[in-house]
Amino acid sequence: IKTLLYYFLIWVLLLLVAAASAKRFTRCELARTLKAAGMSGYKGVSLANWVCLANAESSYNTQTTNRNTDGSTDYGIFQINNRWWCTNGQFPSHNGCRVSCSQLLSDNISASIACAKTIVNQQGITAWVGWRNRCRNRDVSQYIAGCGV
Ligand SMILES: *[C@@H]1O[C@H](CO)[C@@H](O)[C@H](O)[C@H]1NC(C)=O
């Protein structure tokens, strides 16, 4: 019975670790983080548009994954695709960002930001369906309102 208790405690500990590594940014926290990483105006995309994009794609949740109809998967706060930009070691990938997809789920979003810069450099902001559907031609100023950025 001691052994059972031991396993139970380890299980509780693992749950706590898993909960701690899932991060949902607040709107302003993300705005500040993106600004500090040089995303404001990057490739002509305003900070408010980047925040709107992240809201549309992941609701600011770093652990978001979604499967696409072609079998590929989108990862993280910017929903970066594993056919083109990151690799999970299984799905065939061009791995344009030279990054492992799991790094794009970290609560440290610097790898996601670096990859988003690569994507916008090569394809422009219209690469993101969420941006096209929910941010393009809209007043996005609300996304950074009151954030002091
Ligand atoms: C986030 O990751 C980058 C690159 O891996 C690293 O340089 C930086 O120190 C990390 N930031 C934090 C707060 O851990």
Side-chain angles (χ1 to χ4, degrees):
I1 196 76
K2 256 190 184 158
T3 317
L4 272 180
L5 185 65
Y6 187 66
Y7 281 130
F8 176 75
L9 287 175
I10 287 182
W11 176 73
V12 168
L13 204 72
L14 286 177
L15 280 186
L16 288 175
V17 169
S21 61
K23 182 168 166 79
R24 184 162 192 258
F25 276 77
T26 67
R27 180 176 63 83
C28 286
E29 185 187 10
L30 182 66
R32 285 189 294 270
T33 303
L34 294 180
K35 189 178 185 191
M39 289 292 258
S40 184
Y42 190 85
K43 271 278 159 172
V45 179
S46 72
L47 190 58
N49 270 286
W50 284 114
V51 177
C52 180
L53 184 161
N55 180 55
E57 294 286 352
S58 68
S59 305
Y60 313 133
N61 195 329
T62 62
Q63 296 228 318
T64 304
T65 58
N66 280 296
R67 179 70 77 92
N68 300 302
T69 48
D70 69 354
S72 67
T73 303
D74 295 336
Y75 289 82
I77 199 154
F78 298 129
Q79 287 293 280
I80 290 171
N81 183 264
N82 73 345
R83 180 184 293 283
W84 299 103
W85 306 108
C86 68
T87 180
N88 65 6
Q90 293 177 331
F91 196 79
S93 177
H94 291 83
N95 195 9
C97 290
R98 299 270 157 255
V99 70
S100 119
C101 298
S102 62
Q103 286 178 262
L104 304 179
L105 303 178
S106 169
D107 53 9
N108 178 346
I109 62 169
S110 65
S112 281
I113 292 172
C115 188
K117 285 179 174 174
T118 300
I119 295 170
V120 76
N121 272 313
Q122 292 189 22
Q123 300 201 341
I125 195 74
T126 54
W128 281 276
V129 178
W131 181 84
R132 297 202 305 266
N133 289 342
R134 289 168 56 187
C135 311
R136 179 160 65 179
N137 298 329
R138 305 217 186 169
D139 176 12
V140 290
S141 57
Q142 51 171 322
Y143 287 97
I144 56 168
C147 299
V149 291

